[in-house]
């Protein structure tokens, strides 16, 4: 932080270094700063089309001076003419241990279900190295890369177990003074048994404040599989309009 010279005329106080003015709990090292979002989106159509959709995700981040952890959960359900056309959920988490202000080591894991992509369960476990490129009240950007192990239990197709090169991106920026923020979260896994195969899952969007901690959200969820099972498409994309509550 910036060094500021303070001298007390009465006590002859020595020079001190001031890293922060009014530091947050994580900056001071005396506590933990919690943040997170809950997003909900739903639609119901009747008439010439009969459809229903429900989506929700929630994430929690705890930031201390020497560590950080993040938890994420999301689900997606959709029906058309009383037939289910989408059914998926995901739970994931990571723990970061900071070496200094920017570099950190991490461990992460996830569990996923998506029966319309022939995934009964997909588990990932990994560890690696990351860099907190930017961390200010307005902008956050972190990058990570390491090794993961992926286990896929399929409903119909052949099960898969393989090591992967994994990566992650977290970016968030608050625009102007109104509190509108844009964000992008991404996780990727490059199969090392079949190097032509890779998986990416991401969330990209914008949150516009409405009232106190409530925001309107437009969000694009993108799941990409370079070598999907037979009769499955590479890309699943979902555009969501909903409400978010920010902590």
């Amino acid at each position: 932080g910036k060094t500021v010279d303070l001298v007390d005329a009465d006590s002859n106080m020595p020079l001190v270094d001031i890293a922060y003015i009014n530091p947050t709990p994580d900056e001071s090292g005396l506590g933990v700063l919690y943040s997170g979002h809950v997003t909900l989106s739903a639609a119901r159509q009747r008439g010439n089309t009969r459809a229903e959709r429900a989506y929700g995700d929630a994430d929690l981040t705890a930031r201390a001076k020497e560590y950080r952890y993040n938890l994420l959960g999301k689900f997606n359900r959709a029906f058309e003419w009383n037939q289910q056309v989408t059914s998926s959920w995901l739970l994931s988490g990571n723990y970061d241990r900071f070496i200094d202000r920017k570099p950190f080591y991490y461990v992460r894991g996830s569990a996923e279900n998506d029966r319309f992509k022939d995934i009964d369960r997909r588990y990932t476990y990994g560890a690696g190295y990351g860099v907190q490129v930017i961390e200010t009240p307005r902008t956050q950007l972190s990058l990570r890369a390491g090794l993961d192990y992926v286990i896929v239990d399929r409903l119909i197709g052949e099960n898969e177990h393989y090591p992967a090169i994994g990566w992650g991106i977290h970016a968030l920026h608050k625009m102007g003074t109104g509190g509108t923020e844009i964000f992008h979260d991404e996780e990727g896994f490059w199969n090392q048994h079949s190097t032509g195969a890779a998986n990416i899952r991401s969330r990209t969007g914008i949150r516009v404040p409405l009232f106190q901690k409530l925001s309107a959200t437009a969000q694009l969820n993108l799941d990409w599989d370079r070598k999907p099972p037979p009769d499955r498409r590479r890309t699943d994309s979902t555009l969501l309009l909903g409400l978010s509550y920010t902590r």
Side-chain angles (χ1 to χ4, degrees):
K2 183 180 179 181
T3 300
V4 179
D5 295 342
L6 295 180
V7 179
D8 188 313
D10 296 327
S11 62
N12 294 320
M13 182 184 295
L15 300 180
V16 296
D17 289 344
I18 296 179
Y20 303 100
I21 297 176
N22 296 323
T24 59
D26 57 304
E27 291 171 339
S28 67
L30 301 177
V32 181
L33 180 66
Y34 294 94
S35 62
H37 298 88
V38 176
T39 301
L40 297 173
S41 175
R44 187 172 185 267
Q45 294 176 277
R46 291 293 184 268
N48 292 320
T49 300
R50 189 179 183 90
E52 297 175 351
R53 176 180 291 276
Y55 171 87
D57 68 42
D59 65 81
L60 172 67
T61 299
R63 177 70 161 98
K65 187 174 183 179
E66 296 181 347
Y67 69 86
R68 172 178 59 204
Y69 66 81
N70 173 264
L71 302 173
L72 167 69
K74 66 180 182 179
F75 74 90
N76 193 11
R77 297 285 185 276
F79 293 83
E80 292 182 2
W81 297 106
N82 296 324
Q83 297 293 317
Q84 192 170 46
V85 294
T86 299
S87 175
S88 65
W89 56 261
L90 170 70
L91 297 172
S92 69
N94 61 265
Y95 176 85
D96 305 332
R97 187 71 182 184
F98 283 83
I99 309 165
D100 203 340
R101 290 182 58 219
K102 292 183 179 293
F104 59 87
Y105 296 113
Y106 73 86
V107 292
R108 70 178 182 180
S110 68
E112 181 182 6
N113 166 272
D114 192 331
R115 71 186 193 88
F116 287 91
K117 291 196 294 186
D118 192 30
I119 298 174
D120 182 33
R121 292 289 187 275
R122 176 159 57 195
Y123 301 102
T124 68
Y125 312 92
Y129 179 83
V131 177
Q132 186 69 43
V133 182
I134 305 173
E135 189 174 27
T136 69
R138 182 178 292 274
T139 304
Q140 298 176 29
L141 174 62
S142 63
L143 308 174
R144 66 187 69 221
L147 297 176
D148 289 85
Y149 193 74
V150 181
I151 302 171
V152 185
D153 296 333
R154 299 200 177 275
L155 295 165
I156 300 174
E158 185 176 349
N159 295 339
E160 301 175 72
H161 296 198
Y162 56 86
I165 293 177
W167 69 89
I169 302 170
H170 169 72
L172 183 147
H173 178 68
K174 294 183 179 180
M175 301 184 294
T177 59
T180 296
E181 60 184 29
I182 55 176
F183 61 92
H184 176 76
D185 290 295
E186 177 182 316
E187 288 186 319
F189 307 90
W190 179 20
N191 189 330
Q192 294 303 290
H193 277 174
S194 175
T195 54
N199 303 97
I200 297 174
R201 55 195 183 209
S202 67
R203 299 182 299 160
T204 305
I206 183 170
R207 301 185 185 100
V208 181
L210 295 176
F211 176 73
Q212 292 185 349
K213 296 184 178 182
L214 194 65
S215 301
T217 300
Q219 179 173 315
L220 176 66
N221 288 3
L222 185 67
D223 290 345
W224 181 76
D225 189 340
R226 192 171 188 276
K227 285 189 175 182
D231 302 323
R232 302 300 199 277
R233 295 185 178 182
R234 288 186 175 185
T235 304
D236 277 346
S237 61
T238 306
L239 180 62
L240 302 160
L241 301 176
L243 296 175
S244 293
Y245 176 81
T246 303
R247 186 191 187 285

